[in-house]
Each structure stands twice: as structure tokens, then as C-alpha cells.
């Protein structure tokens, strides 16, 4: 008579044994195997008897998941975003006459006089205003040299602001993810 | 007013409701802590691992299948986290082997194991980490061999050999 293996006894108690009937037939007549099964059962009972312990502190209060995005944004990032937006608006306004300068010759050939007229009128008005602004001196500081802005400078500024804008938004999106 | 179901709380937590997630923590922190405590036999460590489990669960809440039960899902995640934690500590533990060997050779009376449950905890903690994980999932989480294999990403044959070997070691220690 072959005794039951340890594996069979373990699987029997775990309800993972396919052929339970033949194991039970053997256990009914073999005191050795029945004793081994009883010892294993006792171990199961001991493990089951282990009481659940209480926590020493309430974790619910400690685990506060990060709140949703707007509140979580650090102050410097919010400020940067606002500053970026302001810079871009200023840059676009300042660059408008120069952009029109570049575009207007083509607009004329395309024969859209009404639009061109409006644009040119706006341009001349804007440049006069800009001229006034660039030559404006504070009475208290007469030594200040007049401001000279070339279109190249403006283009470079615009490019710089665009890069800042992209980097800033990249940061914002990464924070969100 | 009846208490909200786990499902309600999960849906609210997914939308960023921290209070709803806090309620889930309140409901399951004790059972999760006990998984971690059986696996580590270190209170403070178990509480930290419990906290870590919930934080990880929160970030994975979208992947939870609402048709299943939340408690078992969190407890299995805890068992896995503890296993990874214990494995990562193994290198440190091996360096301390000399000291441990000195301690375990002391007679039982000096070690002062007062209660039977304390003896069981000590016996569990003496097992290799992956044995502990299999015992936890089989005896305390009631998983089948197949489910354990899937949970720990190990072959079925390893589940059986780890489990049977672990029980042999436990029986010897608890004689
Ligand atoms: Zn037999």
C-alpha cells in the first residue's frame, strides 16, 4: 500500500485535489496518513487563529490624495503662466505694424484694397503712436536716450516669448499628467 | 440615509473626491494593515506599507474593475507591495546575517515569546519573503493556486513548492 504524498495531503486540504475519493479511501484505512493529515489540519487552524490587530493611528486622515489640478499648482507656476500671457499679448501688439509691413506688398497684388487700406491706415496710425511712445521722455529724466526698436529685435523677442510659452505649457501639462 | 457603497466611493474618488477615498481607507485600513503586519511582523513598517498601498491604489483607481470586490483587490496589492519591499531589503538583511544567527541560537525562554499568536507571527516572519507571500494569499486571502500564480507572476509549480515548503517550516517552528 502506497502512502499519500505530502503534496496530495496539502492539495486535499486546499481543495485543489482532482481525485479526492481515492485519497479519502486511503485515509479511512491508514492511521499514519490520517495522523499526518490531522497535523497539517492543526497547522491550518493555528494560522487561522491569528487575531487581527488594530492600527495605532488612523491612516484615513493622513492619506489625503493630491487635490485636483488648479489648487495643486504652485504659486510660481501660476505667476509664470500669467506673465507669459501678458508678454505674448504685448509682443503681438508691438509686432503687428511690422508684420503688416512684411505682408502688405503681397496684399496689394492680390487686390484686396479695402482690407489693405484699413490695415495700412491702422499701421500708419500705430507707427505714429509708437514713434511718439519711443521718443517720449520723462520730464524728470531728460538724460534717457530715445528707445530704438528694430523689426529684427522684435522678431527675436517674439521668438523668445514663443519658446517661453511652449516651455511653460509643457510644464503645466506635465504637472496635470 | 444609507451609507454609500464601495462602488459609489470609488466613482467619487476617481473624480478627485478626497473625502470619498478617505472613507475607503477607513473601511479597509485594518485588514490591509494586518496583511502588512503578518508579512513584516513590524508594526511601524506595516503602517507605512499600509499607507503606501493606499497611495498606490489611488493612482491606479481607474484600472479597478467595478464588478469585482474592492477589499480583496487592495489586500492583494498590499501583499505584493510587502513582497517587493522585503525583497529589496534582502541585501541589507544578508549583511546582518551574523547578528541574526547569534540571536536565533538563544534559548526560547530568553527570547521571551509570551503568546502563541506571537509565536505564529515570529514563525511567519522567519520564512523567506516569497514563502510568506504565498502563505498570506492562500491562508488569509483565500486565493487558489492559480490565482496566486497570476497574482505573483510565478509558475503554478512554484506556488505549490513554496506553499508546501513553507508549511513544513512553520510546523517545525510551531511544534
Ligand atoms: Zn498511508
Amino acid at each position: 500500500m502506497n502512502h499519500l504524498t505530502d503534496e496530495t495531503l496539502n492539495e486535499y486540504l486546499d481543495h485543489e485535489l482532482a481525485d479526492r475519493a481515492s485519497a479519502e479511501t486511503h485515509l479511512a484505512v491508514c492511521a499514519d496518513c490520517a495522523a499526518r493529515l490531522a497535523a497539517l489540519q492543526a497547522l491550518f487552524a493555528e494560522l487561522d487563529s491569528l487575531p487581527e490587530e488594530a492600527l495605532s493611528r488612523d491612516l484615513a486622515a493622513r492619506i489625503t490624495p493630491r487635490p485636483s489640478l488648479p489648487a495643486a499648482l504652485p504659486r510660481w507656476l501660476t505667476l509664470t503662466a500669467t506673465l507669459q500671457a501678458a508678454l505674448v499679448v504685448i509682443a503681438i501688439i508691438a509686432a503687428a505694424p511690422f508684420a503688416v509691413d512684411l505682408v502688405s506688398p503681397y496684399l496689394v497684388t492680390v487686390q484686396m484694397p479695402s482690407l489693405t487700406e484699413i490695415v495700412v491706415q491702422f499701421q500708419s496710425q500705430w507707427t505714429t503712436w509708437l514713434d511718439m511712445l519711443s521718443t517720449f521722455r520723462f520730464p524728470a529724466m531728460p538724460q534717457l536716450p530715445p528707445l530704438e526698436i528694430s523689426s529684427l529685435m522684435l522678431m527675436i523677442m517674439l521668438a523668445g516669448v514663443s519658446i517661453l510659452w511652449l516651455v511653460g505649457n509643457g510644464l503645466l501639462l506635465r504637472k496635470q499628467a | 440615509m444609507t451609507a454609500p457603497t464601495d462602488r459609489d466611493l470609488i466613482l467619487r474618488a476617481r473624480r478627485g473626491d478626497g473625502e470619498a477615498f478617505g472613507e475607503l481607507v477607513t473601511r479597509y485600513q485594518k485588514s490591509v494593515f494586518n496583511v502588512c503586519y503578518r508579512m513584516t511582523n513590524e508594526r511601524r513598517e506595516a503602517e507605512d506599507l499600509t499607507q503606501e498601498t493606499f497611495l498606490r491604489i489611488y493612482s491606479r483607481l481607474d484600472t479597478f474593475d467595478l464588478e469585482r470586490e474592492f477589499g480583496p483587490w487592495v489586500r492583494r496589492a498590499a501583499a505584493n507591495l510587502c513582497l517587493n519591499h522585503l525583497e529589496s531589503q534582502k541585501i541589507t538583511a544578508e549583511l546582518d546575517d551574523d547578528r541574526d544567527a547569534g540571536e536565533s541560537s538563544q534559548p526560547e525562554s530568553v527570547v521571551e515569546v509570551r503568546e502563541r499568536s506571537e509565536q505564529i507571527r515570529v514563525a511567519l516572519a522567519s520564512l523567506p519573503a516569497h514563502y510568506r507571500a504565498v502563505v498570506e494569499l492562500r491562508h488569509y486571502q483565500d486565493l487558489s493556486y492559480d490565482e496566486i500564480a497570476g497574482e505573483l507572476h510565478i509558475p503554478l509549480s512554484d506556488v505549490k513548492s513554496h506553499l508546501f515548503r513553507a508549511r513544513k517550516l512553520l510546523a517545525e517552528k510551531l511544534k
Side-chain angles (χ1 to χ4, degrees), chain A residues 3-4 26 30 33:
Chain A
H3 289 301
L4 300 177
H26 179 86
C30 177
C33 287

Side-chain angles (χ1 to χ4, degrees), chain A residues 7-87:
Chain A
E7 183 167 346
T8 303
L9 291 175
N10 274 281
E11 288 178 354
Y12 178 78
L13 285 182
D14 286 326
H15 303 279
E16 299 262 0
L17 191 65
D19 187 7
R20 289 181 73 81
S22 62
E24 279 164 0
T25 309
H26 179 86
L27 285 165
V29 295
C30 177
D32 281 358
C33 287
R36 282 165 59 220
L37 185 76
L40 199 56
Q41 248 167 339
L43 176 68
F44 279 38
E46 287 237 80
L47 292 173
D48 280 347
S49 76
L50 199 61
E52 293 252 299
E53 296 280 324
L55 282 108
S56 67
R57 54 197 160 124
D58 181 19
L59 296 179
R62 299 170 56 95
I63 302 170
T64 20
R66 294 147 288 273
S68 47
L69 182 71
L73 277 180
R75 203 174 147 70
W76 66 267
L77 203 59
T78 321
L79 282 174
T80 309
T82 315
L83 199 67
Q84 277 176 8
L87 275 174

Side-chain angles (χ1 to χ4, degrees), chain A residues 14 16, chain B residues 68 72-73 75-76 79-80 133-152 159 163 167:
Chain A
D14 286 326
E16 299 262 0
Chain B
R68 301 179 69 185
W73 185 59
R75 288 190 290 269
R76 287 199 305 271
N80 249 314
V134 172
V135 169
E136 173 63 35
L137 294 177
R138 176 72 204 104
H139 283 273
Y140 299 100
Q141 304 309 320
D142 222 17
L143 263 57
S144 70
Y145 294 172
D146 274 330
E147 287 169 330
I148 296 169
E151 193 58 43
L152 300 179
V159 173
L163 184 60
R167 284 170 178 163

Side-chain angles (χ1 to χ4, degrees), chain A residues 9-171:
Chain A
L9 291 175
N10 274 281
E11 288 178 354
Y12 178 78
L13 285 182
D14 286 326
H15 303 279
E16 299 262 0
L17 191 65
D19 187 7
R20 289 181 73 81
S22 62
E24 279 164 0
T25 309
H26 179 86
L27 285 165
V29 295
C30 177
D32 281 358
C33 287
R36 282 165 59 220
L37 185 76
L40 199 56
Q41 248 167 339
L43 176 68
F44 279 38
E46 287 237 80
L47 292 173
D48 280 347
S49 76
L50 199 61
E52 293 252 299
E53 296 280 324
L55 282 108
S56 67
R57 54 197 160 124
D58 181 19
L59 296 179
R62 299 170 56 95
I63 302 170
T64 20
R66 294 147 288 273
S68 47
L69 182 71
L73 277 180
R75 203 174 147 70
W76 66 267
L77 203 59
T78 321
L79 282 174
T80 309
T82 315
L83 199 67
Q84 277 176 8
L87 275 174
V88 167
V89 169
I90 290 168
I92 287 172
I93 291 172
F98 299 93
V100 168
D101 244 357
L102 290 172
V103 175
S104 52
Y106 303 103
L107 286 180
V108 174
T109 59
V110 175
Q111 286 192 337
M112 286 174 72
S114 57
L115 179 72
T116 319
E117 256 171 37
I118 293 164
V119 166
V120 168
Q121 199 180 359
F122 175 76
Q123 177 208 355
S124 58
Q125 216 167 13
W126 181 244
T127 33
T128 343
W129 193 55
L130 253 192
D131 274 351
M132 277 170 60
L133 204 73
S134 60
T135 52
F136 175 78
R137 290 158 188 248
F138 284 102
M141 296 184 283
Q143 245 67 328
L144 208 73
L147 225 70
E148 288 210 11
I149 307 170
S150 70
S151 69
L152 181 70
M153 263 282 274
L154 268 170
M155 288 298 185
I156 292 169
M157 271 169 64
L158 198 63
V161 168
S162 305
I163 290 167
L164 249 174
W165 177 258
L166 284 171
V167 169
N169 281 320
L171 267 173

Side-chain angles (χ1 to χ4, degrees), chain B residues 28-79:
Chain B
Y28 294 102
Q29 61 181 347
K30 190 180 176 189
S31 68
V32 171
F33 164 71
N34 274 278
V35 171
C36 300
Y37 189 34
R38 283 187 296 264
M39 294 274 296
T40 60
N41 199 28
E42 268 288 331
R43 267 187 170 279
R44 182 77 204 190
E45 205 177 0
E47 287 182 348
D48 289 346
L49 285 164
T50 304
Q51 191 167 333
E52 181 66 27
T53 300
F54 280 110
L55 287 175
R56 290 197 183 192
I57 282 297
Y58 183 72
S59 65
R60 293 201 330 235
L61 221 47
D62 282 334
T63 69
F64 176 67
D65 176 2
L66 285 165
E67 300 305 310
R68 301 179 69 185
E69 274 186 89
F70 185 69
W73 185 59
V74 183
R75 288 190 290 269
R76 287 199 305 271

